[in-house]
Amino acid sequence: MTHAPVPAVTVRPGRPLSGTVRVDGSKNAALPLLAAAATIRRPVRMGNVPDSADVQLLLTLLQRSGRQLARPSAVPRSVALLPLESRPAVPELPDAGRIRASYYLVPALLAAYGQARLPWPGGCRIGDRGMDEHFKVYAAFDDKVETDQAGYRVTTSPSSPAQVTVDLPFRSRGASVVAVLRAVAGGHRLRLGNPNLSPEFTGVLDFLRQAGWQADLARDVLRVEPPAAPDETATLDWSVPGDKIEAGTLACAIAATGGSSRIEGVRAPDVRPVAEALNRLGIPVRAEPDALVLPGGGTPTGAPLTAVASLDPDGLDADFEPALLALALGLPGTHLFADAVNPGRHGNLLPQLRLLGAEFEELSATRCRLTGPQRLTGTVVEATDIRTGSALLIAGLTARGTTTVTGLDQLRRGHADLPAKLRALGADVTEAAR
């Protein structure tokens, strides 16, 4: 019996990375933006759509839901979406269970069919990220929610209120997006307390404002109002922002090798937490309006770094933490890392880094401390999730010998081809099959 080869990359230490590279569109921003485009009732042309696997699967799911898609050949990485064509039966979407962001589809399905049936979301195995807050959002709209072992069903109510109030107990990005898109789907006014304020969510608000919706934020309360006279004919042009997580990952890889590079296509405010962390560690970084620049030079300070994932507006995005952790292994100082947003992430990441020889003091399931610099030695490790995969690539750039990272399919869920970007900067990264 033969088995298909497992996608893998080999990574070897080499010269400092250098050159210019451009990040792809952001997976985390593209997924809610495409769902928003599917929910409003007008044509949308979306640019800078990344070729990552999760985004491409969501586009396939939109097509199966009745959305017409076109890819203009004259504009690479763009997608044109025409309004949903309602069909007699609610679509069955079993493949939606492969990604977590499938829950963004619910408002568009409710707008077209009055009902959504989806399997439980999948995606990275990084702890329990349940949907209780999502279901409370739908309950606020008087929707009926039914669940079983296979998945869940949401059905609209004929008596849905015109004005809806939702107060979130924490700044959940997913629940914030579905609350706003549910209001859009039904033309409701929404008062949303304690919303997520990440660029990925505020980008959806900017998109909806362009479509005529009002979205006003004051004192941690977001108020959303439908347009008085919606235009359902004119095409709305929008673009996915550059991937801040890819930019931060590349910056950590460059810093780990002592290199100097320019990372283009990312907005300065989106990567501010990474720039601040690297500067604290003695690695010069300059954030420009459309680029992150590492000029090289600098001396490691040995200053302690505290990298705690947070949902607060000025906090550290949880997806930055693994790359910073991998970088810190090679730098002097004692550093603290924590991610309670994704409580299973350290359970994925730390065992793989230990295979390379890394040592950690685990303070809890979500907090650890490390002291560097540490000397790593290459071996075979597995990208058990997207961010673990990118952190292992960074660690492999400085480990002695050859590091083989398997599970490349996980990495491609979030990055179309991160190894190719590292190669463009001079990294010794070779794709292989095991």
Side-chain angles (χ1 to χ4, degrees), residues 22-31 33 47-52 55 77 239-247 264-266 387 413-416 421:
R22 189 171 190 87
V23 298
D24 292 333
S26 165
K27 173 194 81 99
N28 289 346
L31 293 168
L33 279 171
N48 201 33
V49 177
D51 197 29
S52 53
V55 172
R77 298 185 301 280
S239 185
V240 176
D243 191 340
K244 68 180 188 183
I245 307 301
E246 186 167 87
E264 297 183 337
V266 64
R387 310 308 170 189
R413 291 184 41 244
H415 303 278
K421 287 184 170 56

mmCIF file of all heavy atoms in Angstrom, residues 22-31 33 47-52 55 77 239-247 264-266 387 413-416 421:
data_model
loop_
_atom_site.group_PDB
_atom_site.id
_atom_site.type_symbol
_atom_site.label_atom_id
_atom_site.label_comp_id
_atom_site.label_asym_id
_atom_site.label_seq_id
_atom_site.Cartn_x
_atom_site.Cartn_y
_atom_site.Cartn_z
ATOM 1 N N ARG A 22 7.425 41.454 -0.662
ATOM 2 C CA ARG A 22 6.085 42.019 -0.481
ATOM 3 C C ARG A 22 5.156 40.957 0.079
ATOM 4 O O ARG A 22 5.104 39.831 -0.430
ATOM 5 C CB ARG A 22 5.538 42.557 -1.809
ATOM 6 C CG ARG A 22 4.237 43.344 -1.653
ATOM 7 C CD ARG A 22 3.850 44.052 -2.945
ATOM 8 N NE ARG A 22 2.764 44.974 -2.706
ATOM 9 C CZ ARG A 22 2.902 46.228 -2.310
ATOM 10 N NH1 ARG A 22 4.134 46.709 -2.118
ATOM 11 N NH2 ARG A 22 1.871 47.006 -2.093
ATOM 12 N N VAL A 23 4.405 41.308 1.099
ATOM 13 C CA VAL A 23 3.495 40.342 1.714
ATOM 14 C C VAL A 23 2.241 40.188 0.858
ATOM 15 O O VAL A 23 1.866 41.067 0.076
ATOM 16 C CB VAL A 23 3.099 40.760 3.142
ATOM 17 C CG1 VAL A 23 4.314 40.819 4.042
ATOM 18 C CG2 VAL A 23 2.356 42.096 3.146
ATOM 19 N N ASP A 24 1.575 39.053 1.020
ATOM 20 C CA ASP A 24 0.283 38.816 0.377
ATOM 21 C C ASP A 24 -0.814 39.541 1.138
ATOM 22 O O ASP A 24 -0.579 40.125 2.202
ATOM 23 C CB ASP A 24 -0.027 37.314 0.366
ATOM 24 C CG ASP A 24 0.900 36.522 -0.545
ATOM 25 O OD1 ASP A 24 1.419 37.106 -1.513
ATOM 26 O OD2 ASP A 24 1.111 35.326 -0.275
ATOM 27 N N GLY A 25 -2.018 39.476 0.594
ATOM 28 C CA GLY A 25 -3.168 39.954 1.332
ATOM 29 C C GLY A 25 -3.370 39.118 2.587
ATOM 30 O O GLY A 25 -2.967 37.958 2.660
ATOM 31 N N SER A 26 -3.995 39.697 3.572
ATOM 32 C CA SER A 26 -4.168 39.051 4.867
ATOM 33 C C SER A 26 -5.300 38.031 4.845
ATOM 34 O O SER A 26 -6.436 38.363 4.505
ATOM 35 C CB SER A 26 -4.470 40.116 5.932
ATOM 36 O OG SER A 26 -4.983 39.539 7.106
ATOM 37 N N LYS A 27 -4.976 36.801 5.244
ATOM 38 C CA LYS A 27 -6.029 35.787 5.399
ATOM 39 C C LYS A 27 -7.058 36.226 6.427
ATOM 40 O O LYS A 27 -8.274 36.135 6.206
ATOM 41 C CB LYS A 27 -5.425 34.454 5.828
ATOM 42 C CG LYS A 27 -6.463 33.379 6.180
ATOM 43 C CD LYS A 27 -5.856 32.204 6.913
ATOM 44 C CE LYS A 27 -5.660 32.473 8.374
ATOM 45 N NZ LYS A 27 -6.676 31.940 9.273
ATOM 46 N N ASN A 28 -6.585 36.711 7.579
ATOM 47 C CA ASN A 28 -7.495 37.067 8.658
ATOM 48 C C ASN A 28 -8.398 38.238 8.301
ATOM 49 O O ASN A 28 -9.495 38.372 8.864
ATOM 50 C CB ASN A 28 -6.712 37.393 9.929
ATOM 51 C CG ASN A 28 -6.088 36.166 10.563
ATOM 52 O OD1 ASN A 28 -6.437 35.033 10.224
ATOM 53 N ND2 ASN A 28 -5.152 36.368 11.477
ATOM 54 N N ALA A 29 -7.946 39.098 7.391
ATOM 55 C CA ALA A 29 -8.787 40.206 6.936
ATOM 56 C C ALA A 29 -9.667 39.793 5.765
ATOM 57 O O ALA A 29 -10.822 40.229 5.652
ATOM 58 C CB ALA A 29 -7.920 41.401 6.545
ATOM 59 N N ALA A 30 -9.140 38.943 4.888
ATOM 60 C CA ALA A 30 -9.881 38.562 3.683
ATOM 61 C C ALA A 30 -11.141 37.772 4.015
ATOM 62 O O ALA A 30 -12.194 37.957 3.389
ATOM 63 C CB ALA A 30 -8.985 37.750 2.744
ATOM 64 N N LEU A 31 -11.061 36.876 4.989
ATOM 65 C CA LEU A 31 -12.196 36.002 5.282
ATOM 66 C C LEU A 31 -13.444 36.798 5.693
ATOM 67 O O LEU A 31 -14.513 36.613 5.107
ATOM 68 C CB LEU A 31 -11.809 34.980 6.345
ATOM 69 C CG LEU A 31 -10.748 33.956 5.889
ATOM 70 C CD1 LEU A 31 -10.211 33.176 7.087
ATOM 71 C CD2 LEU A 31 -11.316 33.002 4.850
ATOM 72 N N LEU A 33 -13.999 40.011 5.171
ATOM 73 C CA LEU A 33 -14.339 40.935 4.084
ATOM 74 C C LEU A 33 -15.111 40.230 2.977
ATOM 75 O O LEU A 33 -16.094 40.767 2.443
ATOM 76 C CB LEU A 33 -13.072 41.570 3.513
ATOM 77 C CG LEU A 33 -12.480 42.743 4.289
ATOM 78 C CD1 LEU A 33 -11.118 43.131 3.724
ATOM 79 C CD2 LEU A 33 -13.428 43.954 4.258
ATOM 80 N N GLY A 47 -9.908 43.250 -4.358
ATOM 81 C CA GLY A 47 -8.526 43.120 -4.806
ATOM 82 C C GLY A 47 -7.613 42.596 -3.716
ATOM 83 O O GLY A 47 -7.972 42.562 -2.534
ATOM 84 N N ASN A 48 -6.417 42.167 -4.105
ATOM 85 C CA ASN A 48 -5.378 41.664 -3.199
ATOM 86 C C ASN A 48 -5.855 40.467 -2.379
ATOM 87 O O ASN A 48 -5.495 40.308 -1.213
ATOM 88 C CB ASN A 48 -4.884 42.775 -2.261
ATOM 89 C CG ASN A 48 -3.508 42.477 -1.688
ATOM 90 O OD1 ASN A 48 -2.668 41.851 -2.342
ATOM 91 N ND2 ASN A 48 -3.262 42.921 -0.465
ATOM 92 N N VAL A 49 -6.653 39.606 -3.009
ATOM 93 C CA VAL A 49 -7.160 38.413 -2.337
ATOM 94 C C VAL A 49 -6.046 37.372 -2.293
ATOM 95 O O VAL A 49 -5.522 36.983 -3.338
ATOM 96 C CB VAL A 49 -8.393 37.851 -3.065
ATOM 97 C CG1 VAL A 49 -8.864 36.561 -2.409
ATOM 98 C CG2 VAL A 49 -9.509 38.888 -3.096
ATOM 99 N N PRO A 50 -5.667 36.900 -1.118
ATOM 100 C CA PRO A 50 -4.543 35.958 -1.044
ATOM 101 C C PRO A 50 -4.920 34.586 -1.580
ATOM 102 O O PRO A 50 -6.089 34.187 -1.571
ATOM 103 C CB PRO A 50 -4.234 35.894 0.455
ATOM 104 C CG PRO A 50 -5.522 36.254 1.120
ATOM 105 C CD PRO A 50 -6.188 37.239 0.212
ATOM 106 N N ASP A 51 -3.900 33.849 -1.996
ATOM 107 C CA ASP A 51 -4.098 32.511 -2.554
ATOM 108 C C ASP A 51 -3.943 31.438 -1.482
ATOM 109 O O ASP A 51 -3.735 30.270 -1.806
ATOM 110 C CB ASP A 51 -3.081 32.272 -3.686
ATOM 111 C CG ASP A 51 -3.501 31.105 -4.574
ATOM 112 O OD1 ASP A 51 -4.714 30.862 -4.703
ATOM 113 O OD2 ASP A 51 -2.616 30.423 -5.118
ATOM 114 N N SER A 52 -4.057 31.815 -0.224
ATOM 115 C CA SER A 52 -3.943 30.842 0.859
ATOM 116 C C SER A 52 -5.129 29.887 0.815
ATOM 117 O O SER A 52 -6.213 30.223 0.332
ATOM 118 C CB SER A 52 -3.889 31.558 2.215
ATOM 119 O OG SER A 52 -4.978 32.448 2.364
ATOM 120 N N VAL A 55 -8.652 30.876 2.387
ATOM 121 C CA VAL A 55 -9.387 31.889 1.618
ATOM 122 C C VAL A 55 -9.968 31.274 0.352
ATOM 123 O O VAL A 55 -11.130 31.537 -0.010
ATOM 124 C CB VAL A 55 -8.467 33.072 1.282
ATOM 125 C CG1 VAL A 55 -9.153 34.041 0.309
ATOM 126 C CG2 VAL A 55 -8.076 33.812 2.559
ATOM 127 N N ARG A 77 -5.018 38.482 -8.575
ATOM 128 C CA ARG A 77 -5.432 38.399 -7.171
ATOM 129 C C ARG A 77 -6.704 39.204 -6.881
ATOM 130 O O ARG A 77 -6.909 39.683 -5.773
ATOM 131 C CB ARG A 77 -4.298 38.855 -6.240
ATOM 132 C CG ARG A 77 -3.036 37.992 -6.344
ATOM 133 C CD ARG A 77 -2.006 38.416 -5.312
ATOM 134 N NE ARG A 77 -1.621 39.803 -5.459
ATOM 135 C CZ ARG A 77 -0.750 40.253 -6.342
ATOM 136 N NH1 ARG A 77 -0.142 39.419 -7.175
ATOM 137 N NH2 ARG A 77 -0.458 41.528 -6.400
ATOM 138 N N SER A 239 -10.167 46.439 -1.349
ATOM 139 C CA SER A 239 -8.928 45.672 -1.413
ATOM 140 C C SER A 239 -8.598 45.112 -0.036
ATOM 141 O O SER A 239 -8.779 45.795 0.982
ATOM 142 C CB SER A 239 -7.772 46.549 -1.907
ATOM 143 O OG SER A 239 -6.595 45.786 -2.078
ATOM 144 N N VAL A 240 -8.125 43.889 -0.010
ATOM 145 C CA VAL A 240 -7.697 43.255 1.235
ATOM 146 C C VAL A 240 -6.369 43.874 1.668
ATOM 147 O O VAL A 240 -5.447 43.993 0.854
ATOM 148 C CB VAL A 240 -7.538 41.733 1.041
ATOM 149 C CG1 VAL A 240 -7.003 41.073 2.318
ATOM 150 C CG2 VAL A 240 -8.860 41.104 0.611
ATOM 151 N N PRO A 241 -6.234 44.285 2.912
ATOM 152 C CA PRO A 241 -4.953 44.852 3.362
ATOM 153 C C PRO A 241 -3.854 43.796 3.391
ATOM 154 O O PRO A 241 -4.113 42.589 3.418
ATOM 155 C CB PRO A 241 -5.277 45.373 4.768
ATOM 156 C CG PRO A 241 -6.422 44.535 5.218
ATOM 157 C CD PRO A 241 -7.235 44.250 3.986
ATOM 158 N N GLY A 242 -2.619 44.260 3.390
ATOM 159 C CA GLY A 242 -1.482 43.346 3.467
ATOM 160 C C GLY A 242 -1.467 42.574 4.771
ATOM 161 O O GLY A 242 -1.986 43.027 5.798
ATOM 162 N N ASP A 243 -0.871 41.405 4.750
ATOM 163 C CA ASP A 243 -0.888 40.487 5.888
ATOM 164 C C ASP A 243 0.110 40.929 6.950
ATOM 165 O O ASP A 243 1.322 40.732 6.827
ATOM 166 C CB ASP A 243 -0.558 39.076 5.406
ATOM 167 C CG ASP A 243 -0.809 38.020 6.466
ATOM 168 O OD1 ASP A 243 -0.876 38.369 7.656
ATOM 169 O OD2 ASP A 243 -0.938 36.837 6.095
ATOM 170 N N LYS A 244 -0.406 41.501 8.028
ATOM 171 C CA LYS A 244 0.464 41.974 9.111
ATOM 172 C C LYS A 244 1.185 40.809 9.784
ATOM 173 O O LYS A 244 2.337 40.957 10.224
ATOM 174 C CB LYS A 244 -0.360 42.748 10.138
ATOM 175 C CG LYS A 244 -1.346 41.893 10.935
ATOM 176 C CD LYS A 244 -2.145 42.701 11.932
ATOM 177 C CE LYS A 244 -2.972 41.777 12.838
ATOM 178 N NZ LYS A 244 -3.820 42.543 13.763
ATOM 179 N N ILE A 245 0.525 39.635 9.864
ATOM 180 C CA ILE A 245 1.159 38.490 10.518
ATOM 181 C C ILE A 245 2.301 37.956 9.660
ATOM 182 O O ILE A 245 3.367 37.599 10.176
ATOM 183 C CB ILE A 245 0.135 37.384 10.810
ATOM 184 C CG1 ILE A 245 -1.060 37.949 11.588
ATOM 185 C CG2 ILE A 245 0.793 36.242 11.568
ATOM 186 C CD1 ILE A 245 -0.701 38.569 12.914
ATOM 187 N N GLU A 246 2.100 37.914 8.348
ATOM 188 C CA GLU A 246 3.190 37.501 7.473
ATOM 189 C C GLU A 246 4.349 38.481 7.571
ATOM 190 O O GLU A 246 5.523 38.074 7.594
ATOM 191 C CB GLU A 246 2.691 37.396 6.025
ATOM 192 C CG GLU A 246 3.733 36.840 5.069
ATOM 193 C CD GLU A 246 3.127 36.443 3.736
ATOM 194 O OE1 GLU A 246 3.029 37.311 2.848
ATOM 195 O OE2 GLU A 246 2.739 35.262 3.593
ATOM 196 N N ALA A 247 4.032 39.782 7.638
ATOM 197 C CA ALA A 247 5.097 40.783 7.771
ATOM 198 C C ALA A 247 5.853 40.600 9.078
ATOM 199 O O ALA A 247 7.091 40.657 9.113
ATOM 200 C CB ALA A 247 4.501 42.189 7.697
ATOM 201 N N GLU A 264 7.380 45.045 2.208
ATOM 202 C CA GLU A 264 6.417 46.002 1.662
ATOM 203 C C GLU A 264 4.996 45.448 1.697
ATOM 204 O O GLU A 264 4.761 44.253 1.834
ATOM 205 C CB GLU A 264 6.807 46.370 0.226
ATOM 206 C CG GLU A 264 8.160 47.064 0.142
ATOM 207 C CD GLU A 264 8.502 47.485 -1.282
ATOM 208 O OE1 GLU A 264 7.959 46.891 -2.239
ATOM 209 O OE2 GLU A 264 9.334 48.406 -1.430
ATOM 210 N N GLY A 265 4.047 46.376 1.567
ATOM 211 C CA GLY A 265 2.643 45.989 1.444
ATOM 212 C C GLY A 265 1.903 45.863 2.752
ATOM 213 O O GLY A 265 0.816 45.300 2.792
ATOM 214 N N VAL A 266 2.456 46.398 3.844
ATOM 215 C CA VAL A 266 1.797 46.290 5.142
ATOM 216 C C VAL A 266 1.690 47.684 5.756
ATOM 217 O O VAL A 266 2.594 48.514 5.621
ATOM 218 C CB VAL A 266 2.580 45.340 6.078
ATOM 219 C CG1 VAL A 266 3.964 45.878 6.393
ATOM 220 C CG2 VAL A 266 1.804 45.074 7.353
ATOM 221 N N ARG A 387 0.615 28.952 12.648
ATOM 222 C CA ARG A 387 1.631 29.769 13.304
ATOM 223 C C ARG A 387 2.763 28.930 13.889
ATOM 224 O O ARG A 387 3.901 29.391 13.954
ATOM 225 C CB ARG A 387 0.984 30.646 14.375
ATOM 226 C CG ARG A 387 -0.230 31.422 13.893
ATOM 227 C CD ARG A 387 0.014 32.222 12.617
ATOM 228 N NE ARG A 387 -1.239 32.767 12.069
ATOM 229 C CZ ARG A 387 -1.362 33.356 10.900
ATOM 230 N NH1 ARG A 387 -0.304 33.482 10.108
ATOM 231 N NH2 ARG A 387 -2.534 33.814 10.491
ATOM 232 N N ARG A 413 -2.476 26.972 4.655
ATOM 233 C CA ARG A 413 -3.805 27.454 4.982
ATOM 234 C C ARG A 413 -3.779 28.955 5.239
ATOM 235 O O ARG A 413 -4.756 29.662 4.965
ATOM 236 C CB ARG A 413 -4.359 26.721 6.201
ATOM 237 C CG ARG A 413 -4.696 25.250 5.947
ATOM 238 C CD ARG A 413 -5.333 24.593 7.165
ATOM 239 N NE ARG A 413 -6.268 25.499 7.787
ATOM 240 C CZ ARG A 413 -6.137 25.994 9.023
ATOM 241 N NH1 ARG A 413 -5.114 25.644 9.775
ATOM 242 N NH2 ARG A 413 -7.034 26.819 9.501
ATOM 243 N N GLY A 414 -2.692 29.447 5.798
ATOM 244 C CA GLY A 414 -2.597 30.871 6.111
ATOM 245 C C GLY A 414 -1.683 31.664 5.221
ATOM 246 O O GLY A 414 -1.801 32.889 5.144
ATOM 247 N N HIS A 415 -0.731 30.996 4.567
ATOM 248 C CA HIS A 415 0.237 31.671 3.693
ATOM 249 C C HIS A 415 0.315 30.903 2.375
ATOM 250 O O HIS A 415 0.560 29.692 2.384
ATOM 251 C CB HIS A 415 1.630 31.693 4.329
ATOM 252 C CG HIS A 415 1.677 32.334 5.681
ATOM 253 N ND1 HIS A 415 1.749 33.696 5.863
ATOM 254 C CD2 HIS A 415 1.650 31.788 6.929
ATOM 255 C CE1 HIS A 415 1.777 33.958 7.162
ATOM 256 N NE2 HIS A 415 1.716 32.811 7.820
ATOM 257 N N ALA A 416 0.138 31.607 1.284
ATOM 258 C CA ALA A 416 0.184 30.931 -0.014
ATOM 259 C C ALA A 416 1.534 30.263 -0.230
ATOM 260 O O ALA A 416 1.602 29.126 -0.706
ATOM 261 C CB ALA A 416 -0.115 31.913 -1.133
ATOM 262 N N LYS A 421 8.938 33.243 -0.055
ATOM 263 C CA LYS A 421 9.323 34.601 0.357
ATOM 264 C C LYS A 421 10.644 34.575 1.113
ATOM 265 O O LYS A 421 11.485 35.469 0.943
ATOM 266 C CB LYS A 421 8.207 35.216 1.198
ATOM 267 C CG LYS A 421 6.978 35.610 0.365
ATOM 268 C CD LYS A 421 5.930 36.294 1.211
ATOM 269 C CE LYS A 421 4.847 36.888 0.315
ATOM 270 N NZ LYS A 421 4.211 35.932 -0.581
#
